[in-house]
């Protein structure tokens, strides 16, 4: 830890002494806000008219431009808002805090709100996407529930696991290799109903940004991507209520000023009720009486502007899924609750005209459990992870050519891997000690977004990470058959294993002209926590695990090359990106292992380790503006794994390998009141392992399985429609009806395959059949949304 704090000291001293290079210049800085709500605006373009040089506001609406002494015209531009020009005589440092007003004409034309022209060709970042929440709300959604995760899965390089599966997959990485943040706090489980809905209530969300390429140096801890989500701050001028009533769920959001232009609040709640409505219609004599499923979530946020230099915010999220199944005929009962609890405290501070800081303290808890009973027998399996996190991010703008970011982060992890409790009547069975793991994780980073010339721009960063697995901890040493040999005990705070690593990040852009550019990136990432998955278990028993002396940190290297081109005065944008990703120390359960084997044992004793790699090409074309807009995305990719102890050491396709993945997203603004949305998706079928032959031996059917994941399910494809009808607006009230059809042509997409046998082998009537199970056919839905 001494090396960690020494690195912070050296880094801070280095960055703060850059200023001597530009000591003779003056700085224009300030904060840009929405005039209607007093909320800060992200990505507002601020530039000098005479030189066309400028910057964009950061996540907190702050900007800073340093220029030589002179006379200039400062332009503030944000698509969907009135442009502001301010004449400036620059002979000293100047602060400009402006409020921008929206323009109704641009909104009706369905422009891309908040997106700077040519930003996709001029920035050095690649594989970065920002979602517009207003557009997301017009897309088709199952049961009328707007879903951020489903929307990002329509982008090239981002893939779904299929209906009924949680998580998403980015460029060949697993679901645990995506860092999901809500106001700076980690979200470990981002799905409700086993992946059918995300935990993010769209009414409470302000900004969504996905990094799937070389993530900036301020992010780390995952190999594949970052999904950075910010909640609305709450309107500081007027009280507002947003809500919606749907077929299976309803939601309500309330926001407004606590003190006008000084403090605001936001509260948002959502709950499903289809199972509750069905309860009175289930007969008391039904063997399934009492079975139910529902989820609920709650978001809240308070913002307080302390001064022109300081802002404080406190946000929180709490959500739960509860699944209850009863079968009175068999005396069987199952209850599975799981969910997240998140809190985040953030302080934004402007030190001076060039230095901005964001301090975050966050708490995250995710847990699930499975409770099953049958007659006198009871079984409980539970797991979870809890984080306490501190982070300091600094944004330093020494000149118009540089944007330097640096900072540090610390996380204390508490892991509760799979633990089991078993009882029969009043008798409790000994399943071993409850296993809890503890770890420290820290990082320091620095990066510079540097314009070398008009054509060349680079974003270079370096992240140094450390990880310490600490006691109290018991290491169970077993022989080759899994029998215990001895136990090593570590005291509280004692180091069990220590890891460290450097993570270089580099992205570069060469600008051919104002509408086209070539980009390349290189990145390396360490990941110190892991998600152990058993594909044969249908319950949500995936467990988060720490790196130990047995489980080494995952490590990935990614190379990306891309060409970006805009057409027709930036109304159309397109890109082609090719990538190669190499992944080491990948984690899987050993063949035949089950969560119950973890009880009274170290989970990593049941794991095996290997390597993986993925490569492919992503094609994207998007129409940005006009009544008719949308995009087409296509990914051609391969994802492979190799484990010495799996599949006889032979290379196999990962279960989430998708050779072909295509999406079509369309929006048509039929009139001022009527908007049509449509999506179509196609993906290569899931890879799975099936028997290649069956034998009848001593009255039993014996399976002979083929190589791992050597069989493909049928391809997944589906089309959805949505029609949004806006009600007549008044000054105080707005409403709309959303009519959607999920799976328009009733495609029976495969969920899983099982085998049945009828007859018997002795009389030659034995018939073995493989049967496919599909979840959803065509589903129409309707929801009413309102705002006042």
């Amino acid at each position: 830890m001494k090396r960690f704090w020494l690195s912070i000291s050296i880094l801070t001293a280095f960055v703060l002494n850059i200023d001597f290079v530009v000591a003779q210049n003056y700085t224009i800085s300030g904060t840009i806000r929405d005039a209607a709500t007093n909320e800060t605006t992200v990505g507002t373009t601020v530039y000098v008219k005479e030189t066309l040089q400028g910057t964009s506001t950061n996540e907190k609406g702050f900007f800073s431009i340093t220029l030589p002494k002179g006379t200039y015209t400062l332009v503030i531009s944000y698509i969907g808002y009135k442009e502001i020009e301010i004449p400036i005589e620059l002979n000293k440092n100047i602060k400009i805090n402006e409020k921008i007003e929206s323009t109704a004409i641009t909104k009706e034309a369905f422009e891309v709100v908040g997106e700077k022209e040519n930003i996709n060709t001029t920035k050095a970042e690649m594989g970065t996407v920002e979602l517009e929440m207003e557009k997301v709300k017009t897309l088709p959604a199952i049961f009328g529930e707007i879903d951020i995760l489903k929307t990002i899965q329509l982008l090239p390089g981002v893939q779904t696991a299929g209906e009924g599966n949680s998580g998403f997959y980015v460029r060949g990485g697993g679901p645990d290799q995506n860092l999901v943040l809500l106001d700076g706090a980690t979200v470990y489980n981002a799905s409700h109903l086993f992946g059918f809905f995300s935990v993010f209530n769209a009414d409470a969300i302000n900004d969504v940004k996905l990094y799937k390429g070389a993530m900036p140096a301020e992010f780390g801890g995952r190999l594949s991507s970052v999904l950075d989500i910010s909640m609305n701050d709450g309107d500081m001028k007027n009280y507002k209520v947003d809500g919606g009533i749907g077929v299976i769920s309803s939601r309500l959001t309330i926001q407004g000023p606590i003190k006008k232009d000084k403090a605001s609040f936001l509260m948002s709640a959502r709950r499903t009720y289809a199972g509750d409505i069905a309860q009175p219609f289930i007969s008391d004599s039904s063997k399934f009486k009492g079975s139910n499923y529902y989820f609920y979530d709650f978001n809240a946020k308070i913002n307080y502007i302390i001064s022109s230099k300081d802002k404080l915010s406190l946000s929180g999220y709490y959500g739960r899924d509860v699944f209850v199944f009863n079968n009175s005929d068999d005396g069987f009962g199952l209850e599975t609750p799981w969910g997240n609890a998140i809190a985040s405290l953030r302080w934004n501070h402007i030190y001076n005209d060039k230095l901005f800081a964001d301090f975050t303290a966050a708490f995250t808890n995710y847990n699930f459990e499975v409770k099953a009973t049958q007659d006198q027998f009871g079984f409980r399996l539970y797991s979870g992870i809890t984080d306490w996190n501190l982070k300091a991010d600094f944004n330093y703008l020494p000149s118009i050519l540089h944007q330097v970011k640096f900072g540090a982060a610390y996380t204390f992890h508490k892991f509760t891997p799979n633990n089991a409790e078993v009882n029969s009547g009043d008798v409790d069975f000994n399943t071993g000690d409850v296993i809890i793991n503890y770890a420290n994780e820290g990082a320091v980073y620095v990066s510079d977004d540097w314009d070398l010339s008009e054509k060349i721009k680079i974003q270079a960063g370096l992240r140094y990470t450390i990880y310490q697995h600490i006691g109290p901890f018991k290491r169970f040493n077993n022989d080759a058959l899994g029998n215990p040999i001895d136990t090593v005990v570590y005291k509280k705070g004692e180091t069990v294993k220590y890891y460290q690593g450097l993570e270089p990040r580099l992205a570069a852009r060469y600008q051919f002209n104002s509408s086209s550019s070539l980009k390349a990136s290189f990145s390396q990432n360490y990941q110190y926590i892991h998600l152990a998955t058993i594909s044969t278990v249908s319950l949500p028993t995936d467990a988060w695990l720490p790196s130990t002396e047995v489980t080494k940190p995952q490590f990935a290297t990614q190379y990306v090359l891309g060409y970006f081109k805009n057409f027709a005065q930036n109304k159309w944008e397109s890109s082609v990106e090719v990538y190669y990703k190499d992944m080491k120390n990948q984690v899987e359960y050993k063949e035949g292992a089950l969560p119950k084997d973890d009880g009274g044992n170290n989970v990593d004793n049941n794991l095996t380790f290997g390597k993986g790699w993925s490569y492919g090409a992503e094609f994207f074309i998007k129409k940005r503006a006009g009544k008719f807009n949308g995009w087409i995305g296509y990914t051609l990719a391969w994802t492979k794994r190799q484990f010495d102890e799996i599949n006889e050491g032979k290379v196999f396709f990962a279960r989430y390998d998708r050779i072909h993945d295509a999406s079509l997203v369309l929006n048509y603004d039929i009139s001022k009141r009527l908007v049509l949305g449509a999506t179509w998706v196609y993906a290569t079928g899931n890879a799975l392992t099936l028997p290649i032959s069956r034998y009848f031996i001593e009255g039993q059917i014996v399976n002979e399985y083929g190589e791992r994941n050597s069989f493909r399910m049928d391809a997944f494809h589906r089309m959805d429609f949505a029609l949004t009808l806006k009600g007549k607006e008044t000054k105080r009230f707005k409403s709309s009806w959303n009519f959607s059809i999920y799976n328009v042509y009733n495609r029976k997409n495969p969920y899983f395959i099982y085998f049945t046998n009828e007859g018997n082998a002795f009389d030659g009537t034995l018939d073995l059949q493989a049967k496919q199970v599909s979840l959803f056919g065509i589903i129409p839905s309707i929801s009413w949304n309102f705002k006042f």
Side-chain angles (χ1 to χ4, degrees), residues 111-112 115-121 514-516 565-573 622-625:
E111 294 286 352
V112 181
E115 187 172 333
K116 178 186 173 185
E117 291 186 357
N118 286 341
I119 192 170
N120 63 310
T121 61
S514 61
S515 63
S516 64
K565 174 69 177 176
N566 288 2
F567 302 91
Q569 297 180 329
N570 298 306
K571 290 182 180 179
W572 291 81
E573 63 181 47
K622 175 182 179 181
K623 189 174 187 294
R624 302 175 63 246

Side-chain angles (χ1 to χ4, degrees), residues 359-630:
F359 301 97
T360 304
F363 168 83
T364 297
N365 173 261
Y366 166 68
N367 62 73
F368 77 83
E369 61 179 313
V370 178
K371 295 183 287 186
T373 58
Q374 187 161 22
D375 298 327
Q376 295 295 312
F377 180 81
F379 172 78
R380 177 174 177 250
L381 182 72
Y382 58 97
S383 176
I385 182 171
T386 302
D387 285 354
W388 290 266
N389 175 264
L390 296 173
K391 190 176 183 184
D393 297 297
F394 296 87
N395 195 343
Y396 181 62
L397 303 158
S399 76
I400 202 168
L401 302 177
H402 291 270
Q403 182 175 190
V404 180
K405 294 183 179 182
F406 64 100
Y410 166 76
T411 302
F412 176 74
H413 298 288
K414 178 184 177 182
F415 302 86
T416 307
N418 288 317
N419 287 275
E421 296 177 358
V422 181
N423 66 77
S424 180
D426 296 330
V427 179
D428 294 327
F429 296 97
N430 182 13
T431 57
D433 296 337
V434 174
I435 305 298
I436 298 178
N437 293 306
Y438 303 91
N440 295 310
E441 184 176 351
V444 293
Y445 72 88
V446 62
S447 68
D448 187 7
D449 206 343
W450 183 13
D451 285 294
L452 288 171
S453 67
E454 288 186 3
K455 291 185 175 294
I456 301 175
K457 183 174 185 175
I458 65 170
Q459 185 184 75
L462 185 64
R463 185 179 180 92
Y464 169 67
T465 59
I466 63 167
Y467 173 86
Q468 182 188 31
H469 180 206
I470 60 173
F473 177 70
K474 289 183 179 180
R475 164 58 61 190
F476 298 99
N477 295 313
N478 300 334
D479 61 21
L481 298 176
N483 300 314
I485 300 173
D486 59 21
T487 302
V488 180
V489 178
Y490 294 87
K491 297 179 181 178
K492 182 178 180 180
E494 185 178 356
T495 299
V496 180
K497 186 63 179 179
Y498 178 86
Y499 293 102
Q500 61 180 331
L502 284 173
E503 303 177 16
R505 315 280 173 83
L506 179 64
R509 179 224 69 201
Y510 181 81
Q511 191 91 30
F512 294 109
N513 50 52
S514 61
S515 63
S516 64
S517 63
L518 182 69
K519 301 181 187 181
S521 69
F522 165 81
S523 62
Q524 291 186 323
N525 297 67
Y526 282 94
Q527 180 169 325
Y528 296 103
I529 65 175
H530 320 270
L531 188 66
T533 303
I534 296 181
S535 58
T536 58
V537 178
S538 59
L539 298 173
T541 52
D542 298 350
W544 287 95
L545 310 171
S547 291
T548 64
E549 72 270 38
V550 175
T551 308
K552 294 180 174 61
Q554 299 180 58
F555 179 72
T557 302
Q558 183 175 200
Y559 309 87
V560 187
L561 181 67
Y563 177 71
F564 297 77
K565 174 69 177 176
N566 288 2
F567 302 91
Q569 297 180 329
N570 298 306
K571 290 182 180 179
W572 291 81
E573 63 181 47
S574 64
S575 65
V576 178
E577 296 184 43
V578 294
Y579 69 90
Y580 178 85
K581 183 193 294 184
D582 179 74
M583 294 167 281
K584 302 183 185 301
N585 303 325
Q586 300 300 281
V587 177
E588 294 279 358
Y589 269 102
K590 293 178 181 177
E591 291 183 335
L594 292 171
K596 65 180 180 58
D597 300 327
D598 299 336
N601 191 8
N602 300 122
V603 177
D604 53 20
N605 287 335
N606 294 315
L607 303 178
T608 185
F609 311 98
K611 59 185 178 181
W613 55 96
S614 64
Y615 51 93
E618 300 169 1
F619 303 86
F620 185 66
I621 184 166
K622 175 182 179 181
K623 189 174 187 294
R624 302 175 63 246
K627 289 186 175 182
F628 181 78
N629 54 83

Side-chain angles (χ1 to χ4, degrees), residues 711-726:
F711 181 83
R712 291 281 181 175
M713 289 186 180
D714 290 342
F716 179 97
H717 55 89
R718 190 190 73 242
M719 178 174 282
D720 307 326
F721 281 133
L723 186 67
T724 301
L725 174 63
K726 300 177 183 178

Side-chain angles (χ1 to χ4, degrees), residues 136-151 192-193 196-203 243-252 268-273 295 297 722 738-740 742 779-785:
V136 171
K137 292 178 180 180
T138 66
L139 296 178
I142 186 171
F143 300 123
E145 273 294 323
I146 300 158
D147 197 322
I148 293 170
L149 292 188
K150 288 291 188 292
T151 304
H192 286 304
L193 189 53
F196 288 118
F197 305 104
S198 77
V199 300
F200 306 111
N201 185 343
D203 290 340
I245 300 173
V247 176
I248 70 164
S249 67
S250 292
R251 64 189 189 278
L252 184 68
S268 185
R270 178 176 59 160
R271 193 189 192 280
T272 57
Y273 40 67
F295 74 75
D297 46 40
N738 182 272
F739 307 90
S740 64
Y742 181 89
I779 301 176
S781 62
I782 183 173
S783 61
W784 179 62
N785 305 298

Side-chain angles (χ1 to χ4, degrees), residues 597-750:
D597 300 327
D598 299 336
N601 191 8
N602 300 122
V603 177
D604 53 20
N605 287 335
N606 294 315
L607 303 178
T608 185
F609 311 98
K611 59 185 178 181
W613 55 96
S614 64
Y615 51 93
E618 300 169 1
F619 303 86
F620 185 66
I621 184 166
K622 175 182 179 181
K623 189 174 187 294
R624 302 175 63 246
K627 289 186 175 182
F628 181 78
N629 54 83
W631 70 79
I632 299 173
Y634 171 70
T635 303
L636 175 67
W638 293 265
T639 302
K640 299 179 181 179
R641 297 288 186 267
Q642 191 275 321
F643 289 73
D644 291 341
E645 297 184 2
I646 295 178
N647 200 43
E648 299 179 345
K650 299 176 184 177
V651 174
F652 59 91
F653 286 105
R655 60 180 169 272
Y656 36 82
D657 172 73
R658 302 285 187 277
I659 297 175
H660 302 285
D661 191 90
S663 61
L664 172 66
V665 178
L666 299 175
N667 272 304
Y668 181 59
D669 191 12
I670 300 172
S671 67
K672 292 181 179 181
R673 295 182 55 195
L674 202 59
V675 179
L676 177 67
T679 62
W680 180 78
V681 293
Y682 175 92
T684 301
N686 286 349
L688 73 161
T689 308
L690 291 179
I692 57 174
S693 60
R694 285 186 157 191
Y695 303 97
F696 195 71
I697 300 176
E698 297 181 354
Q700 299 292 324
I701 297 175
V702 179
N703 296 318
E704 180 184 351
Y705 285 87
E707 292 189 5
R708 190 176 182 100
N709 294 343
S710 58
F711 181 83
R712 291 281 181 175
M713 289 186 180
D714 290 342
F716 179 97
H717 55 89
R718 190 190 73 242
M719 178 174 282
D720 307 326
F721 281 133
L723 186 67
T724 301
L725 174 63
K726 300 177 183 178
K728 292 184 178 180
E729 295 185 9
T730 65
K731 187 175 181 181
R732 294 186 177 182
F733 186 80
K734 298 178 182 180
S735 67
S736 66
W737 287 92
N738 182 272
F739 307 90
S740 64
I741 302 177
Y742 181 89
N743 198 359
V744 171
Y745 50 81
N746 200 30
R747 165 71 175 174
K748 302 296 184 183
N749 286 303

